[in-house]
Amino acid sequence: MKVLGETEIETEVVIAGAGPTGLMLACELTLAGVETLVLEKLPRRIEQVKGGGIQPRTAELLELRGLLEPLLERATSREPVGGHFAALPVPLDCTPWRTRHPFPIAIPQWEIEEVLEERATAAGARVLRGTAVCGVESDDDGVNVTADGLRARARYLVACDGGHSTVRKLLGLPFPGRPGTHQAALADIRLSAVSSLVPRQAGHMSTLIRHAGGYWGMLVPLGGDRYRFTFGRAEQADSDRDTPVGHEEIAAALQAVYGPETTLGAVDNSSRFSDATRQLEHYRTGRVLFGGDAAHIHPPLGGQGLNLGIQDAFNLGWKLAATVQDRAPSGLLDSYHAERHPVGAQVLHHTSAQRVLADPNPSEDVAALRDIFIDLLRLPDTNRHLAGLMSGLSLGYPLPGDHPLTGQRLPDTELVTEVGPTRLSSLFGAGHAVLLDLAGTVPADLGLPSRVDLVRATCTEDVGAAALLIRPDGYVCWAAGTSASCGDTLLAAIEGSLTTS
């Protein structure tokens, strides 16, 4: 990164937005040795719980980079409980997906951001706060970004600046979809007195929602006198998103739902949100790419938003790094849109369905539909399907290749290598692709690029292949049986799907 003066910087990638998506992307880029500048309009991090849940697949990905352990140290203590679909009273069971992390992890969003920023800056990323992007001009070779008097030149700009993305608006890109029909408020609060209706510990979401006095509300204990309070009122006209959520408004909702004995002591922070559903048609426009809420917004049901953004970053990071370092196969960067846009569309689709089922004032027909759906959720096959969908564990990409594992995640299996026992997840700390040889299938003289690590190991369980090529984001892009020859098909897979050098 070159600082050309007090107001000019030259770097390889600029990221707009220091939320979970932008910071995760910064971690991935700096891990690969890419010069990265993060511009954040807020002068300081807002310590708000907000999107405070890490889904099982996101936990697996974070573990690949050694980021899960420091996050678990900050997690909110609670009994393990399955996720939910539309807040229906049947926990989702992720154990059939063979994951080490079958339960969502509760952790405030600002804590996630802090851990990611510490990792990114330690690796060389620069984060400038109080620096709002106000101008974007791109050409064939790069992009110029203006932010509060600062001018940055980069090869690429990635907009991770939220649902009201400034970058998206500066480029005049349409954000098609459906406007919000309901609005609610979210507040991190402290209670000075509680009634018997206030939950003492966090449990399944279906046990936390209450309806009373024309309100619906959900209190989630965070420890001590701290709670996250989400609430809405069906008969109340929507307020402007920027209208502050006042102390009196929160207190009225609290007492309506949890009784007059429940007393609001303090409001740490608060905000409003809606159930709007929108998605960019293209996640890339020339030298500008989009991730997280800047690319898609949806109803906040099932704890999807933060996880969708972090997984966008995992998919994009290694591809953008390869592109910046001129070792990317043709079309690799465009595969970010091809792979992640359908995933975003799927989340928009099922959160829209959840919005109907979770209506706090359901019609008689919706109530009947809920009853039927609850019965279906108790069926193992239905529960497994929705558990895989909501956790991200069932996600796969349509990659070329005939082997059934192609495009899929692998469970974090136990391995024995020449240096001793280990786990599959421990092989990805460097952010490289891994060629896992479980049966001596890979020729000893096969020349591999520097960012593809060959690991010869044995495994007590049958993973379904003798050799597998796994991308830096943990998805299989090539696999062979014991009788298959690695030769041309393996090298072609590397050069076509990963790197040319």
Side-chain angles (χ1 to χ4, degrees), residues 94-117:
C94 288
T95 55
W97 292 98
R98 298 169 60 205
T99 178
R100 295 179 184 272
H101 311 287
F103 306 108
I105 300 166
I107 177 171
Q109 179 170 315
W110 70 270
E111 298 262 26
I112 297 172
E113 293 173 358
E114 190 168 84
V115 169
L116 295 179
E117 185 169 345

Side-chain angles (χ1 to χ4, degrees), residues 25-56:
L25 180 60
C27 288
E28 289 295 277
L29 291 173
T30 53
L31 182 63
V34 174
E35 296 174 350
T36 305
L37 173 65
V38 182
L39 303 177
E40 170 55 52
K41 67 180 180 180
L42 296 178
R44 62 180 180 83
R45 183 178 296 111
I46 298 176
E47 295 188 3
Q48 186 176 19
V49 173
K50 214 171 179 180
I54 297 175
Q55 293 285 0

Side-chain angles (χ1 to χ4, degrees), residues 287-313:
R287 293 276 174 160
V288 182
L289 298 106
F290 294 83
D293 288 352
H296 40 69
I297 59 172
H298 53 82
L301 290 161
Q304 300 295 291
L306 180 148
N307 296 272
L308 188 59
I310 288 180
Q311 292 184 41
D312 283 348

Side-chain angles (χ1 to χ4, degrees), residues 339-376:
E339 292 179 2
R340 293 303 298 173
H341 192 277
V343 176
Q346 184 182 56
V347 171
L348 267 64
H349 187 65
H350 71 64
T351 52
S352 294
Q354 291 183 75
R355 176 171 59 177
V356 175
L357 291 168
D359 190 330
N361 295 284
S363 66
E364 184 178 346
D365 289 345
V366 171
L369 178 63
R370 282 174 56 90
D371 290 341
I372 296 296
F373 216 92
I374 289 169
D375 288 340
L376 290 173

Side-chain angles (χ1 to χ4, degrees), residues 283-286 289 316 319 323 329-340:
Y283 285 8
R284 179 186 178 188
T285 302
L289 298 106
L316 175 59
K319 296 175 180 178
T323 302
S330 175
L332 182 65
L333 190 57
D334 287 329
S335 73
Y336 165 64
H337 167 85
E339 292 179 2
R340 293 303 298 173

Side-chain angles (χ1 to χ4, degrees), residues 23 49 61 71 92 115 136 138 173 177 189 197 226 266 271 281 290 295 307 314 322 332 383 396 408 445 448 469 488:
L23 292 172
V49 173
L61 294 175
L71 287 169
L92 298 177
V115 169
V136 176
S138 60
L173 298 177
I189 62 174
L197 299 175
R226 298 173 57 244
S271 60
E281 294 179 350
F290 294 83
N307 296 272
F314 261 94
L332 182 65
N383 195 293
Q408 304 301 309
D445 59 350
L448 294 174
L469 181 63
D488 295 337

Side-chain angles (χ1 to χ4, degrees), residues 121-285:
T121 54
R126 185 176 180 185
V127 179
L128 297 181
R129 295 187 174 273
T131 310
V133 172
C134 56
V136 176
E137 296 178 356
S138 60
D139 52 48
D140 292 341
D141 299 317
V143 58
N144 295 317
V145 181
T146 305
D148 287 341
L150 174 73
R151 182 179 173 87
R153 173 69 177 180
R155 291 187 63 181
Y156 289 91
L157 165 66
V158 186
C160 303
D161 53 345
H164 298 282
S165 171
T166 297
V167 174
R168 194 182 61 231
K169 293 174 182 176
L170 287 170
L171 295 179
L173 298 177
F175 201 30
R178 181 173 54 196
T181 59
H182 294 88
Q183 192 177 95
L186 173 66
D188 292 342
I189 62 174
R190 297 176 186 270
L191 298 181
S192 56
V194 298
S195 72
S196 60
L197 299 175
V198 173
R200 276 21 182 200
Q201 62 180 9
H204 191 259
M205 183 175 175
S206 63
T207 68
L208 298 173
I209 298 175
R210 288 186 54 81
H211 302 82
Y215 288 89
W216 63 268
M218 181 174 66
L219 271 176
V220 179
L222 300 175
D225 62 350
R226 298 173 57 244
Y227 293 80
R228 182 180 64 181
F229 184 38
T230 311
F231 68 94
R233 189 174 184 181
E235 302 303 322
Q236 185 181 40
D238 284 350
S239 303
D240 185 273
R241 280 286 300 275
D242 296 326
T243 301
V245 186
H247 190 284
E248 291 183 359
E249 180 181 354
I250 297 171
L254 267 175
Q255 295 203 348
V257 180
Y258 295 96
E261 301 91 347
T262 302
T263 305
L264 178 62
V267 179
D268 292 338
N269 50 64
S270 60
S271 60
R272 300 186 192 275
F273 62 91
S274 78
D275 59 351
T277 300
R278 299 185 182 277
Q279 185 179 29
L280 274 176
E281 294 179 350
H282 302 284
Y283 285 8
R284 179 186 178 188
T285 302

